Structure formats: C-alpha cells, structure tokens
Amino acid sequence: MTPAERIDELRRSIRHHEERYYVHDAPEIADADFDALMQELRALEAAHPDLVTPESPTQRVGGRPADGFLAVLHLQPMLSLDNAYAEEDLRAFGDRVARALTAAGETPPEIGYVAELKIDGLGIALTYDNGVLVRGATRGDGVTGEEVTGNVRTIRAIPLRLGHAVPGVVEVRGEVYFPRSAFEQMNRERADTGEALFANPRNAAAGTMRNLDPALVARRRLGAWTYQVVSSSTGEHEAAGTAATHASALETLAGWGLPVEPHWRRCRSIEEVVAFCQEWQEKRRQLEFETDGVVVKVDRLDYRSRLGATSKFPRWAIAFKYPAEQKTTRLRAIEVNVGRTGAVTPYAVLEPVLISGSTVSMATLHNADDVARKDIRAGDWVLVEKAGDVIPRVIGPVVSRRPAGAVPWEMPAACPLCGSALRREDEEVVWRCEHVSCPARLRRGLEHFASRGAMDIEGLGEALIEQLVTSGRVRDYADVYGLAADELAALTSVAVRADGREVQRTFGRKSADKLVARIDRSRGNELWRLIYGLGIRHVGSHAAQVLARAFGSIDALRGATPEALEATSEVGPVLAASVRRYFDEPRNLALIDRLREARVRLEARPEERQAAGGDLPLAGRTYVLTGTLRSMTREEAAAAIERLGGKVTSSVSRKTTAVVVGDNPGSKADQAQALGVPTLDDAALAALLAGAT
Ligand code: IVH
C-alpha cells in the first residue's frame, strides 16, 4: 500500500469512528485505539506534507485566531419559526395547513408531519462543494450571517468531507449546541476564576462560535445536529436527492454522515404530534443537549412549496415551546461561595421547591451587583427559574409579598472560610478573598507556589497537595517547609491500574528524601521566585523580577507605599494597588513571618539586587535581539540584559541603544542600519555583559 492509499484509508476509518462517537454516541473502538489511528495519520502526513489536505481530520484546528468575521449572504434566507405555546395552538396550525392546501386545490386525505426536538443552540449553515466542507456560517439575522468556517471545522460531529460523493454545492442547515455536561463544567470553572457565567447553553454556544480563536472553540467540545438541506440552483426539494418528504431528507443527511438528532418521528396527524410533545416534556431532560420545544414540519415537500412562507416564517412549520418552568419560594438566606481563586459569589438558599422535575434548594444570584440592582433580600418570596433548564437562578423578588423588616443585602465584610477582609478592585464586579492560604484557595495556590516557574519544587504536585491539605497537614505555604521525610515516606494513596484494579501505593523513602531535598533547596531561591509564588494578583514572573530588583527584600516590598511602588519603572497603578492589598491583609503578613521562621530566603540574592533605583549598569538602555546567538539563547541573553537593568524590546526605533545581531538575522538588522542604530555581535554582547558585571 502506498502512503497515499494508507492516508486515505486512515482518514475514512477516522471519520467512521468520529461519526460513531460524536454523532451516534456509540463508539466501536477504545479511545486509545482511536488516538493511535490519529497518530499514525499525523506521522504519515508529517512525512508527506504534500498529501495534507484541508479536509483531513488532522486539520480540524488550523490557522491562527481570526481578526474578525466576514459577513455572508445566505443562499436563501434562514427563516425563523412561528411559535405555539399550547396544544390548542398546534391544532390551530394543523387547521391552517389543511385549509391552505385545500384552497390550493388539494384535498389531502392525510397531512403527515415530522416532529423533531427543537435544539436550543445556534443556527448554522454548512456549505459542501462536491462533498467537501468549504464554509460554515451563523444564521445571523437570517439574511446575512457571519463566516465561522474555522470554528465549525473544530466540531467533530461535523464531517469535513461527506461520506458519499455529493456533486455540486449543497447547503446543510442545523444547530450547533453546547452539551450540558461541558456547559456545567465550564460555568463551574468560570465561577472559580470570577468570570461572568453564561446564562444557558445557547448563549454559551453563541459566544463560543463568535470566538476568534478556533483552538478555544475546539476545547469547548460543541455538538451539532442538522435538519435541512438546500441548494443554490435547485432549492430544497431536489437537493435532497430523491427525497419527496422531509423524513427521507433526514435519512439522506444521516446517510451522508451528517449528524441528525435521532428522536424525530413521523406523525400521521396533529394528535400524534401533540402526543410526541407530551412524551418529550419530561424525557427531554435526560438528553445531552437543551431542547426548549418541538419543531413540527409538514412532511411532504411538494405540500411545503405550495404552502410557502410569510416574510418571517414558513407556513409549513411551527415551534411548540414548552412552558418556562418558574416557581416562587422563600429565600431563606443569601450566602457566599469562595472559589479556588478567591472569587466570592453570592448564592440563594431556598425553601426547597420542585421545578422541572427536580428539587431546587439553591440557586445562583450571579454577582453582588445583580443582587443590589434587583434588591433581593433574605426572607423575600422570590421567583426561581431553571435557566435553560440547567442551573436554577433567582429572577427577582415578589416585592408585594416582602415581609416587614427585610433588609437590603450586603456583601459580608469577611470571608466565610478564613475571616479575611473581602475586597474588590475599582470597577470590578467580583469580590475576592485576598488571603492566599484561605482554605478555598490553598490547593491551587500551593500548586502555583511549587510550580517550575515559581519555587520549583518538583514532586509537590496536585495529588500530593490534595492529600496534604485534606488531612490538614498543610495549612499554608510555610507548612511545606515542615514536612519530614519520614511522614512523607509513610503516605499511602490508592491508584487504579490499567486493568481497573485498585492498588495501594506508598510514597516511599526515596521519593520522600528527594522531595525534602528539593523543598530544602527552594529555601535559597531567588527572591523573585518567592514573590511570584505568593500568588499576588497581577504579579506574573516578570513583574516579580521587577519588584525583586527594585525593592531587594520582602520587608522592603511590604513596607512600600503605593506611591513608591508606582514610582518603580514598569509598575502601574493596578499592580501597585494589588501588591499593597496583598500586604495589607494581616494573614498574608503572618505567612511571611512563618516563611521567615522556616528559613526561606526573603532577600534578593546578590546578583538580583539593585542597590538603589537606576544605578544598574545597563539602566536606561534598550536592546533588540535578532538571529541565533552562539553562546546563549535569545531568552538567556534577554534575561542577562534585564538583570543588569537594561530593557529588551521587539521593535527597533531611533531610541534603541543597540541591536544584537546573531546568525540568520531578521529584518531588524536592516532596520538598525537604516536608522543608524549600532549593532553588536555575539562577542560584543558577551563583552558588554562581562564588563557591566
Ligand atoms: S427548522 C424554516 N428544526 O429554531 C425552518 N429549526 O426558532 C427552519 N431550531 O432558526 C428551522 N431546532 O435555528 C428547525 N429541529 C429544528 C430546530 C430548529 C432548533 C432553531 C433554528 C431556527 C429556530 C427558530
């Protein structure tokens, strides 16, 4: 078999398994075997780059983030649907259809319908040219949408190439949705980091499809269902091949390998449609996607053409909407939750109430501003809704039933977990607990503290931290320095082997000794590693280096006024305020003292130190690096220049002190010459660095 043949075979096989997994939710092979197929394809394509085509499954996430989206005009307008809110509305729809067909000269013995679940997502149009996906567009306002091909390509339910040769250009329409589980997980993470929550999966899907970075879209794991095919030249009818009915069009779509929601049903009468709607009212909650109703469509395509459309809606379809599930109940209390990053969000404790088939006793209140704006008070009767049928939320108070004495809510002054003062930055919505050892923050904080970029304690990872924090053995960062090899060696954990059996593992003497040695070594780290490791908001590793150099010790930093901080080069008001807030929290000061007792270095090492602002040898000078240096990497060179007070920037201007030119330099060398900026070679740079130190 030639590589080209094997590549073709692998692509077909991968698409087959993608379809089994993402469309039918019925995989035939293990994930690892699927990964192996992908890996083989990647390797073959790497060896034969000329055989890479855009519709290869390896090319789903391609390209860089887009600068914006292009507007696209739909081949035919994407109409919206008229709504029915009650069974009576459905029957009235049936009567209208029958009357219109009779008036058109038909006396239909029976008007068949197809009932489909109404997917609560985002309408999309997919264009296939000779079977290859060439464009994806959002519905937009129905006439023009946005071209989101890069994002659509990341959705693995959507084939990049149709399973059968489909000649010409066809447009397939459907819905992109956010699976429930992925939605809930994403909102939990957003609550943790203090980001605004998405109200429901539809908003989340829409927000995601409008993201400019396909890599992010790929991570969100969107799903898709298709339900319609149109073609530019022939219209809906002929595009579906021999289809004379909607039901056969759906079968055709599925046959092409497109995702078609499998629960649709052919109904012989409106009464059967009504029964379908009743049947799914509760059952729909078990689906992995949101449905807010049922779409009812006349089955025969010739009837459809005869019925036509108004300017907004087709006359041959209607959307039956399930009633939004809302209940009133008593709001017992407003409490706050502290996320892993310290973000504090209010939530409602409710008198339990049955909504959409489940008992609700807690609901989100979004954020403090929202509670204030709606003036929601403890003791109120409140209207509660299961937003998008997922997370219950409080819509607002029933003011007329407000009990006497109910007082407006205020964010508590102190963190419920550790008692530290809660604060928020100017103009920020999110309140935070600033105490880095707050039990809510400790796990993630410790992971950061020990990470390679910070204190660099290899071996102190997520699982061990979890164990140490849960057992209460580690209550703050300083406790790490009290860990003894004996106690670590005796720690046991349960691991699951490949065959599914659980086995007890002990940490072991050797690992324990190694870890204790690494912990010990970290005591002498550069100051910036500690400053960075403390997890002060807005202080990344570069800012930590700036602060370490400028202040020389934790004590000097903790004593610095906001003015002194802001007077430091590269320190702006946000960073200065954040550092100040950190050291204003007494619990953080207590941690510093405990680190001191644990003999952790709190001063800069000599080579880090800056005697007084501005007198480092390269202070005030700016360098640009280009090409490959022989004696060190560009990153090392930049770090060395910065240690000596110089700045490294990426673009050459008249103000640049010098451009360091290595082998195979870029255009920056020419720019230096054009602007009359001096250049340095490897040797000159080495001399500069040596002379300066
Ligand atoms: S058919 C002209 N079928 O609901 C008919 N639409 O409220 C076009 N939707 O714009 C739509 N599930 O984005 C159809 N099974 C389904 C649907 C569905 C969800 C969306 C679609 C439409 C909106 C109208």
Side-chain angles (χ1 to χ4, degrees):
M1 200 183 281
T2 66
E5 284 164 351
R6 178 64 185 150
I7 283 176
D8 190 53
E9 187 176 71
L10 282 165
R11 286 178 187 163
R12 281 173 202 280
S13 163
I14 287 168
R15 180 56 212 161
H16 170 77
H17 293 300
E18 275 182 342
E19 197 182 327
R20 294 305 311 162
Y21 189 97
Y22 292 101
V23 178
H24 304 290
D25 195 15
E28 287 169 350
I29 57 171
D31 290 359
D33 297 332
F34 179 83
D35 293 345
L37 293 175
M38 269 300 227
Q39 230 156 26
E40 186 187 344
L41 179 59
R42 280 217 179 84
L44 272 173
E45 288 183 345
H48 304 277
D50 49 316
L51 296 177
V52 179
T53 59
E55 65 272 18
S56 169
T58 59
Q59 306 298 304
R60 282 196 177 268
V61 188
R64 278 171 297 128
D67 296 326
F69 297 112
L70 293 174
V72 293
L73 199 62
H74 295 300
L75 288 180
Q76 296 167 22
M78 291 179 79
L79 298 178
S80 150
L81 293 171
D82 199 4
N83 291 324
Y85 295 99
E87 292 171 6
E88 277 328 295
D89 299 341
L90 285 177
R91 296 193 178 100
F93 163 73
D95 292 343
R96 276 200 305 279
V97 168
R99 252 183 284 127
L101 286 177
T102 314
E106 293 276 349
T107 39
E110 166 198 83
I111 303 165
Y113 299 92
V114 169
E116 290 168 16
L117 295 172
K118 184 172 189 313
I119 302 123
D120 197 10
L122 177 78
I124 43 145
L126 310 170
T127 310
Y128 286 89
D129 187 350
N130 283 316
V132 176
L133 178 68
V134 292
R135 192 176 87 176
T138 62
R139 174 175 180 275
D141 63 5
V143 177
T144 42
E146 284 176 320
E147 205 246 63
V148 288
T149 314
N151 289 348
V152 163
R153 289 172 58 88
T154 68
I155 301 173
R156 301 187 62 175
I158 296 177
L160 298 176
R161 175 191 278 284
L162 296 179
H164 290 269
V166 180
V169 175
V170 290
E171 186 181 297
V172 175
R173 292 178 177 177
E175 207 79 2
V176 164
Y177 66 88
F178 215 116
R180 268 180 217 269
S181 49
F183 172 77
E184 282 164 31
Q185 187 192 342
M186 180 186 63
N187 256 356
R188 268 198 302 276
E189 285 170 12
R190 290 175 79 91
D192 260 0
T193 52
E195 285 172 275
L197 302 190
F198 282 114
N200 53 48
R202 177 167 38 82
N203 289 2
T208 304
M209 281 310 276
R210 298 203 69 254
N211 197 289
L212 293 169
D213 183 0
L216 178 137
V217 181
R219 285 200 295 279
R220 295 261 172 99
R221 303 187 174 286
L222 296 174
W225 297 121
T226 57
Y227 44 69
Q228 198 181 10
V229 48
V230 294
S231 109
S232 53
S233 50
T234 56
E236 176 171 34
H237 195 145
E238 290 83 353
T242 57
T245 61
H246 182 63
S248 52
L250 291 177
E251 278 155 7
T252 303
L253 287 173
W256 288 348
L258 284 155
V260 174
E261 208 291 314
H263 297 104
W264 62 273
R265 184 182 301 161
R266 198 170 176 285
C267 300
R268 274 166 305 180
S269 66
I270 278 290
E271 291 316 310
E272 284 189 25
V273 169
V274 169
F276 181 90
C277 294
Q278 286 168 350
E279 182 182 326
W280 282 95
Q281 172 134 19
E282 291 303 319
K283 258 184 18 192
R284 67 196 169 112
R285 302 187 207 295
Q286 276 129 45
L287 298 167
E288 243 308 83
F289 55 90
E290 286 295 315
T291 56
D292 55 346
V294 171
V295 181
V296 184
K297 304 172 179 178
V298 170
D299 192 21
R300 275 177 57 165
L301 301 186
D302 58 337
Y303 284 180
R304 285 195 191 185
S305 345
R306 225 154 293 161
L307 288 162
T310 69
S311 63
K312 282 209 256 159
F313 314 124
R315 290 199 191 85
W316 45 263
I318 196 158
F320 175 77
K321 291 280 195 71
Y322 290 116
E325 316 244 2
Q326 297 183 344
K327 289 274 178 70
T328 47
T329 186
R330 277 295 274 277
L331 175 62
R332 285 184 175 160
I334 298 177
E335 290 183 359
V336 295
N337 174 49
V338 192
R340 303 236 301 171
T341 58
V344 180
T345 41
Y347 65 91
V349 182
L350 304 166
E351 233 149 70
V353 58
L354 195 72
I355 313 179
S356 303
S358 59
T359 305
V360 173
S361 54
M362 280 198 280
T364 133
L365 287 163
H366 293 293
N367 56 51
D369 286 355
D370 218 47
V371 178
R373 196 175 40 199
K374 294 178 177 164
D375 189 16
I376 303 173
R377 306 181 181 189
D380 271 346
W381 283 88
V382 287
L383 194 59
V384 182
E385 183 181 75
K386 272 195 136 185
D389 280 355
V390 182
I391 319 172
R393 68 183 183 110
V394 173
I395 298 175
V398 184
V399 179
S400 59
R401 295 175 77 183
R402 173 163 289 162
V407 288
W409 180 75
E410 272 177 47
M411 179 60 88
C415 172
L417 286 167
C418 73
S420 310
L422 298 181
R423 301 172 202 276
R424 69 168 157 183
E425 284 173 33
D426 293 344
E427 296 177 27
E428 266 210 9
V429 189
V430 177
W431 288 76
R432 287 175 195 282
C433 170
E434 298 283 348
H435 177 208
V436 290
S437 307
C438 172
R441 299 183 55 178
L442 187 56
R443 289 175 179 80
R444 192 178 283 180
L446 274 172
E447 282 165 31
H448 170 73
F449 183 77
S451 68
R452 177 116 65 107
M455 293 298 270
D456 193 17
I457 309 176
E458 198 188 326
L460 186 56
E462 201 180 321
L464 180 58
I465 288 173
E466 178 63 41
Q467 213 178 354
L468 293 169
V469 172
T470 309
S471 67
R473 177 61 188 86
V474 168
R475 293 201 168 83
D476 67 13
Y477 302 175
D479 278 342
V480 167
Y481 293 94
L483 293 170
D486 287 344
E487 60 175 326
L488 287 173
L491 285 177
T492 55
S493 60
V494 176
V496 180
R497 289 197 328 202
D499 63 7
R501 294 240 315 271
E502 289 190 347
V503 283
Q504 279 248 327
R505 288 231 177 96
T506 52
F507 197 75
R509 188 78 225 173
K510 245 167 101 183
S511 318
D513 284 343
K514 253 198 212 153
L515 177 56
V516 169
R518 290 200 182 105
I519 292 173
D520 185 43
R521 202 185 50 200
S522 81
R523 287 189 160 96
N525 276 346
E526 293 104 319
L527 178 62
W528 71 263
R529 288 187 171 276
L530 176 65
I531 297 177
Y532 177 49
L534 288 175
I536 307 170
R537 270 197 100 209
H538 303 299
V539 179
S541 63
H542 179 73
Q545 291 179 39
V546 168
L547 293 170
R549 214 183 295 135
F551 291 90
S553 74
I554 289 280
D555 288 335
L557 189 60
R558 95 193 225 179
T561 61
E563 295 73 35
L565 284 161
E566 271 194 63
T568 311
S569 137
E570 294 189 72
V571 176
V574 173
L575 184 63
S578 178
V579 171
R580 209 39 273 157
R581 253 198 318 275
Y582 178 88
F583 287 110
D584 282 344
E585 170 53 56
R587 288 169 178 79
N588 292 338
L589 298 183
L591 169 66
I592 303 290
D593 290 338
R594 292 192 12 84
L595 287 168
R596 191 192 317 275
E597 281 160 27
R599 291 176 292 108
V600 174
R601 175 181 205 108
L602 303 180
E603 291 95 40
R605 297 217 296 222
E607 71 274 17
E608 274 187 285
R609 199 182 291 270
Q610 174 174 339
D615 66 355
L616 277 176
L618 300 184
R621 303 196 201 170
T622 307
Y623 296 86
V624 172
L625 308 174
T626 179
T628 312
L629 302 174
R630 288 176 204 171
S631 49
M632 57 184 116
T633 66
R634 280 222 295 274
E635 288 69 35
E636 285 165 350
I641 291 172
E642 285 178 353
R643 264 202 303 278
L644 297 169
K647 253 170 88 172
V648 176
T649 64
S650 56
S651 59
V652 186
S653 78
R654 273 178 218 291
K655 290 197 185 138
T656 307
T657 311
V659 175
V660 179
V661 180
D663 292 340
N664 304 319
S667 60
K668 285 168 194 157
D670 303 332
Q671 288 164 10
Q673 206 169 22
L675 293 171
V677 172
T679 57
L680 302 175
D681 62 9
D682 251 86
L685 173 66
L688 175 77
L689 295 175
T693 37

